[in-house]
Amino acid sequence: MDALTQYLEGNREQFLEDLKKALRIPSVSTQPAHREDVRRCAQHVADDLKAVGMTRVEVVPTAGHPVVYAEWLGAPGKPTALLYGHYDVQPPEPLELWTTPPFEPTLRDGKLYARGACDDKGQVYMHLSALKAHMKVNGRLPLNLKVVIEGEEEAGSDNLEKFLRERRKQLDADVIVVSDTSMLAADQPALCYGLRGILYTQIEVTGPAHDLHSGEFGGAVTNPANALAVIIAALRDGDGRVTVPGMYDRVRALTPQEREGFRALPFDEKAFIHETGAPVAFGEKGYSTLERIWARPTCDVNGMWSGYIGEGSKTVLPSFAAAKVSMRLVPDQDFAELFPRFEAYVKKLASPGVTVVVKNLHGAPPFLTEPDHPMLQAAVRALARSWQKPPALIREGGSIPVMATFQETHGLPCILMGFGLVDDNVHAPNEKFSLTSFHGGTRSIAYLYEELAKGA
Ligand code: BES
Ligand code: ZN
């Protein structure tokens, strides 16, 4: 075994302990009450980057949450990689469904449970562990490295673009490296070449000026909850297609080759659906499950509220109803172009007697790159070396808002090499990261930096 691999094997416990410390900080970016925790987490990540030997470590304030920047430029003549990740996490609610508390990382059956264990602190700390191994074994990194770890990814990365533009020159690199995606199965590494975009909205329906007795007034005025249901029911047809006018105008059709590529992947659809707990698969007619998730748009309610939802009954006609509705977007859909169309359509669906307001909470463009870009070959070699089998080339259905910026405005090739698993419960109660992913991922990343140093 080479010295690098040996160091990685010998220091697993320490790597895990370092990750657990970061997981104890509740860096929930979308909840204002956690603002100070988010800042504390940025400082913690910065301190850890300094500790592994990165130089020029900065916690950079933005109009929102801080960005952590670090670099190590001691390999003149070698390529420069820009590592991107996020230290913020999604809200942990509903808390009562967690077996152990979300911010008390707990090991059970070879899996580490905590909010952020996989998305994305676990994956960021694989990089820190790999960097530490290189520094300890060789006293240096095999290539130049710049690191950007942001605190607003789960909130739409609103302030990151400005940071990237302002530091355009400083952030010059040959390749972007990101670990915030998944494997195809626990023993099947994957390289991701496409992500969906998103348009996230909130629909607010107001009727009477205050709640009313549903017997005294029910039937006499429009109930905003009923009116909201009418709107939501109309957003998709029975075949799972989104009905927003113009929704499909820019959707790039899958090529027969890509459909065949998806079909040939070692993907166990039955197991995937079984894992969700849903009795059957359902989605847009005419498409497979992978096609639906990776390459077709959707429209989903993420949450809705109105009236009385406590125990027992209360006869009330609510004055207000609201829903959080997101649309996942695929190339070449444009969230900015879609929002006014969505807004107009929702308003048209409003029943008489209510006022409807549609808010644009955030948006992110879809991402698609050339799967056989030469830079990606370094990742193919690293993953094959680490897992003893070549990676599957996949797309995924989630969004990473900054990827399009890296690709379009910075013109850089992107390696999306992630190690999540379908049953990691990201964004849900009992999020976890399996130790096989964590250690296998760390090893893959250590090899990736070596392979990237060899050049494309
Ligand atoms: N790690 C995910 C992105 C992801 C999820 C990639 C699943 C591949 C598969 C990322 O942290 C995330 O959740 N992003 C948000 C972005 C949104 C809030 C703009 C998402 O996709 O919901
Ligand atoms: Zn996420």
Side-chain angles (χ1 to χ4, degrees), residues 12 24 42 67 122 133 142 163 171 228 247 250 254 303 314 324 338 360 373 397 413 420 424:
R12 289 179 164 204
R24 291 194 183 102
V67 175
F163 170 89
L171 295 176
L228 177 61
M247 183 76 181
R250 291 185 188 272
L254 277 160
K314 177 185 183 190
K324 294 187 186 283
L338 190 60
N360 182 347
H373 191 286
D424 278 346

Side-chain angles (χ1 to χ4, degrees), residues 197-200 244-252 297 327-342 360 362-366 408:
I198 193 169
L199 170 60
Y200 200 112
V244 179
M247 183 76 181
Y248 292 88
D249 285 3
R250 291 185 188 272
V251 171
R252 210 189 294 177
M327 281 147 277
R328 294 284 172 176
L329 309 177
V330 301
D332 300 302
Q333 287 179 290
D334 177 345
F335 66 90
E337 180 185 270
L338 190 60
F339 179 74
R341 291 182 165 190
F342 178 78
N360 182 347
H362 59 70
E408 279 155 32

